[in-house]
Amino acid sequence: MKFSDYSFAPEIHKSIDRLGFVKPTDIQYKSIHPIMRGEDVLAIAQTGTGKTAAFALPVVNHLHSRKRNARRPDGIKCVVMVPTRELAVQITDVFNEISKDTLVKPFCVFGGVEQDSQIAALQDGVDILVATPGRLFDLVSQGYLKLHRVETLILDEADKMLDLGFIKDIKDLMKFLPNKRQTLFFSATINKKIKELAYSLVKNAIRIQISPKDPVSKNVNHSVCFVEMDDKRFFLERLVEENPESKILVFVRTKVRAERVQKAMERVNINSLTIHGDKGQKDRLKVLETFKKGEVNMLIATDVSARGIDIPGVDYVVNYDLPEQADNYVHRVGRTGRGRNKGTAVSFCSTEERELLAAIEKYTNNRIAVIEIDKKDYSETVDFSMDASSDWKTLLRDAEEESKKSKVKKPAKRSAKKGGSSKKRR
Ligand code: ADP
Ligand code: MG
């Protein structure tokens, strides 16, 4: 089936053409019709398979068909809840793109920034509101936002939204929503407990699940190599050296590690960006933009930014540290191989991380392919690094800097590519 066979309004077809979509993906094919019929849907499909358009297309089409005569929005009709601000912006962009030739008005609100401009925009009228739960709750409880006309509630990254950190906010917000409404859950991962919770919140949800056995996207070629903790930076350096044009997303365990890896890369003239919870909101969005545009080719991130983010053309995902929660593995490696693209993910597993690897393999029902590194190759990778940090002065300086605990990070000034050294590996 092609998109041209769908009974969408001409304005929606125009947007689909502009987006370059020809055929619906599996999840779009299976969920668009039930959503158009008004059913509750729980949809589980791998990362990068177009879940956003799967809910955005039928929702915008429906609101557009009803709005032809009513220009001004008469209340929010659809609320999309997401776990992060970056994701709120990204999903709003997709809604905007699809609504471009219609009168439907999407908007997004999230915390960490002033709320005044958000309030002003809300007063102009909004049809579709994409939001993080905290800010949404604040605006509702201050009376700036009314949700009594909402017809569709969507939880993207549903398992995260129904998990401990968010469930209270979500339940509190549900009290403001009409009981009679359509509820849609979308996610790449879900567990039994969360699934039961989701069902308890709706009446007769249709469950749509694509590729249930292996949650890792089939577009991602993923493998692991055994690298000791202190040597990881040399292997990252080598990856960049061998793939100088590639866009690389590196995941680390903590904010401090992110800054540390950035420093290690700086020492070998590799420019990188970091994104984590300690950064201000504006900073985070700017960093993502810079990486998206390809102005800097390496982004070092903590899990906070793994969920749902769609960055075009990420060639490599590197699990510099293995994730402590196995489902995060799926979300991390799912930042590459999106849409019709293929991607590569590699995990650096140290001796102390073997247990985490076993947990990931259990979770994904699969053994992860091992890249064998022979001893000679391993020691060459370490020895040929341009990093001079084994010299005691550098180590001392680093230790001093860390003890100052300066959290604010200035953007690195160096060039995005490596240069300067005539040192040749192999
Ligand atoms: P998910 O939420 O499933 O992880 P997204 O909705 O972020 O995935 O979409 C991933 C990428 O696939 C996006 O860049 C999107 O533009 C692209 N995409 C979505 N649907 C289609 C389609 N039918 N044909 C081609 N590309 C698509
Ligand atoms: Mg998504």
Side-chain angles (χ1 to χ4, degrees):
M1 192 159 179
K2 289 189 172 160
F3 272 121
S4 50
D5 301 326
Y6 280 73
S7 60
F8 291 137
E11 292 81 354
I12 306 296
H13 279 295
K14 212 170 143 191
S15 302
I16 295 174
D17 290 345
R18 207 176 33 241
L19 284 162
F21 297 175
V22 179
K23 273 175 63 180
T25 62
D26 288 352
I27 192 66
Q28 290 164 354
Y29 177 70
K30 291 204 174 162
S31 49
I32 288 174
H33 282 122
I35 295 174
M36 286 172 96
R37 288 198 301 270
E39 315 258 13
D40 290 334
V41 168
L42 170 72
I44 310 298
Q46 293 169 330
T47 54
T49 54
K51 292 189 284 296
T52 319
F55 57 75
L57 284 169
V59 163
V60 176
N61 183 65
H62 174 67
L63 294 178
H64 169 65
S65 315
R66 277 220 322 238
K67 260 187 88 109
R68 289 201 173 120
N69 304 318
R71 293 203 144 250
R72 200 174 183 283
D74 58 349
I76 294 163
K77 297 290 179 348
C78 171
V79 168
V80 187
M81 288 204 237
V82 297
T84 66
R85 304 135 187 195
E86 290 78 11
L87 193 52
V89 171
Q90 177 185 303
I91 288 185
T92 311
D93 285 346
V94 176
F95 271 106
N96 277 328
E97 195 59 45
I98 294 173
S99 316
K100 205 165 194 167
D101 299 305
T102 73
L103 297 172
V104 176
K105 197 156 175 242
F107 187 66
C108 83
V109 296
F110 47 80
V113 291
E114 286 282 313
Q115 63 172 35
D116 293 354
S117 60
Q118 295 179 346
I119 293 166
L122 287 167
Q123 276 154 3
D124 281 349
V126 165
D127 295 297
I128 299 167
L129 186 67
V130 184
T132 53
R135 177 55 59 92
L136 186 59
F137 186 75
D138 289 348
L139 293 171
V140 170
S141 40
Q142 292 169 66
Y144 292 116
L145 242 176
K146 299 261 182 296
L147 300 179
H148 63 287
R149 309 203 66 167
V150 171
E151 296 167 359
T152 306
L153 169 68
I154 302 172
L155 301 190
D156 192 29
E157 304 297 337
D159 58 339
K160 184 90 183 160
M161 303 308 290
L162 296 175
D163 206 357
L164 297 176
F166 285 111
I167 186 64
K168 190 180 174 304
D169 279 346
I170 302 274
K171 284 196 164 161
D172 287 346
L173 278 162
M174 283 197 172
K175 292 178 199 145
F176 294 96
L177 296 166
N179 278 335
K180 195 173 165 297
R181 57 152 197 270
Q182 179 181 37
T183 308
L184 312 176
F185 303 99
F186 278 82
S187 187
T189 52
I190 196 142
N191 63 36
K192 198 160 160 271
K193 195 177 125 227
I194 299 284
K195 209 180 291 169
E196 278 162 15
L197 180 56
Y199 283 128
S200 76
L201 298 172
V202 293
K203 288 188 190 88
N204 293 309
I206 294 187
R207 178 169 161 206
I208 300 168
Q209 187 152 357
I210 314 267
S211 304
K213 284 220 172 72
D214 185 358
V216 177
S217 164
K218 57 182 183 305
N219 287 352
V220 182
N221 176 354
H222 60 124
S223 48
V224 59
C225 51
F226 297 107
V227 177
E228 291 317 322
M229 215 40 117
D230 290 343
D231 300 332
K232 288 184 175 187
R233 60 205 157 113
F234 305 122
F235 284 83
L236 185 57
E237 179 189 352
R238 177 172 162 183
L239 185 80
V240 175
E241 196 171 85
E242 289 176 354
N243 304 276
E245 304 297 330
S246 293
K247 212 177 219 187
I248 304 176
L249 180 56
V250 181
F251 282 104
V252 292
R253 213 177 49 246
T254 62
K255 304 161 193 172
V256 175
R257 295 269 294 161
E259 297 298 324
R260 233 183 253 175
V261 176
Q262 184 181 45
K263 271 208 188 99
M265 290 301 107
E266 216 170 84
R267 285 199 297 266
V268 293
N269 291 332
I270 294 171
N271 197 10
S272 63
L273 300 157
T274 61
I275 189 163
H276 50 67
D278 269 357
K279 295 218 154 187
Q281 187 47 43
K282 285 208 176 109
D283 213 9
R284 277 163 60 171
L285 289 170
K286 197 166 154 241
V287 160
L288 267 186
E289 212 40 51
T290 311
F291 186 59
K292 272 187 185 170
K293 283 191 197 143
E295 287 166 14
V296 176
N297 273 341
M298 183 188 286
L299 175 63
I300 305 164
T302 54
D303 282 301
V304 72
S305 41
R307 284 279 185 156
I309 292 301
D310 186 46
I311 302 168
V314 172
D315 303 290
Y316 280 92
V317 167
V318 177
N319 284 317
Y320 194 89
D321 297 321
L322 291 195
E324 272 165 5
Q325 248 177 279
D327 57 344
N328 278 341
Y329 180 83
V330 172
H331 293 283
R332 286 177 175 195
V333 303
R335 293 319 99 204
T336 183
R338 303 189 63 76
R340 304 202 178 285
N341 299 325
K342 301 267 178 245
T344 306
V346 61
S347 300
F348 294 166
C349 178
S350 66
T351 307
E352 48 280 49
E353 290 174 310
R354 294 270 180 148
E355 270 177 34
L356 295 176
L357 180 65
I360 291 163
E361 291 185 326
K362 189 163 171 242
Y363 180 82
T364 58
N365 288 313
N366 266 309
R367 292 302 295 269
I368 300 173
V370 176
I371 302 174
E372 301 284 354
I373 310 170
D374 66 35
K375 270 192 179 153
K376 186 165 159 275
D377 214 12
Y378 194 108
S379 51
E380 272 184 9
T381 302
V382 175
D383 293 345
F384 279 88
S385 167
M386 296 203 303
D387 192 351
S389 76
S390 44
D391 108 47
W392 64 272
K393 273 186 196 156
T394 317
L395 286 175
L396 207 65
R397 197 191 62 213
D398 283 358
E400 263 170 25
E401 271 178 33
E402 238 163 62
S403 73
K404 282 184 206 153
K405 285 199 177 129
S406 72
K407 280 186 183 167
V408 193
K409 177 82 199 96
K410 279 188 246 131
K413 287 188 196 78
R414 310 204 186 178
S415 129
K417 282 173 204 152
K418 293 184 63 166
S421 167
S422 57
K423 225 175 207 180
K424 273 259 175 300
R425 207 189 282 287
R426 263 156 302 241

PDB file of all heavy atoms in Angstrom, residues 14 163 367:
ATOM      1  N   LYS A  14      -0.143  16.476   0.468  1.00  0.00           N
ATOM      2  CA  LYS A  14       0.908  17.403   0.036  1.00  0.00           C
ATOM      3  C   LYS A  14       2.094  17.348   1.015  1.00  0.00           C
ATOM      4  O   LYS A  14       3.256  17.307   0.605  1.00  0.00           O
ATOM      5  CB  LYS A  14       0.312  18.820   0.014  1.00  0.00           C
ATOM      6  CG  LYS A  14       0.898  19.710  -1.053  1.00  0.00           C
ATOM      7  CD  LYS A  14       0.078  20.973  -1.151  1.00  0.00           C
ATOM      8  CE  LYS A  14       0.964  22.147  -1.433  1.00  0.00           C
ATOM      9  NZ  LYS A  14       0.250  23.420  -1.275  1.00  0.00           N
ATOM     10  N   ASP A 163       6.492   5.025  33.754  1.00  0.00           N
ATOM     11  CA  ASP A 163       7.419   4.519  34.762  1.00  0.00           C
ATOM     12  C   ASP A 163       7.503   5.491  35.952  1.00  0.00           C
ATOM     13  O   ASP A 163       6.973   6.601  35.898  1.00  0.00           O
ATOM     14  CB  ASP A 163       8.802   4.307  34.118  1.00  0.00           C
ATOM     15  CG  ASP A 163       9.587   3.243  34.861  1.00  0.00           C
ATOM     16  OD1 ASP A 163       9.068   2.741  35.869  1.00  0.00           O
ATOM     17  OD2 ASP A 163      10.705   2.928  34.435  1.00  0.00           O
ATOM     18  N   ARG A 367      22.585 -12.896  21.250  1.00  0.00           N
ATOM     19  CA  ARG A 367      23.987 -12.671  21.554  1.00  0.00           C
ATOM     20  C   ARG A 367      24.454 -11.517  20.682  1.00  0.00           C
ATOM     21  O   ARG A 367      24.103 -11.438  19.506  1.00  0.00           O
ATOM     22  CB  ARG A 367      24.825 -13.919  21.205  1.00  0.00           C
ATOM     23  CG  ARG A 367      24.539 -15.122  22.087  1.00  0.00           C
ATOM     24  CD  ARG A 367      24.766 -14.824  23.569  1.00  0.00           C
ATOM     25  NE  ARG A 367      26.158 -14.535  23.886  1.00  0.00           N
ATOM     26  CZ  ARG A 367      27.034 -15.465  24.261  1.00  0.00           C
ATOM     27  NH1 ARG A 367      26.657 -16.714  24.374  1.00  0.00           N
ATOM     28  NH2 ARG A 367      28.279 -15.146  24.538  1.00  0.00           N
TER      29      ARG A 367
END
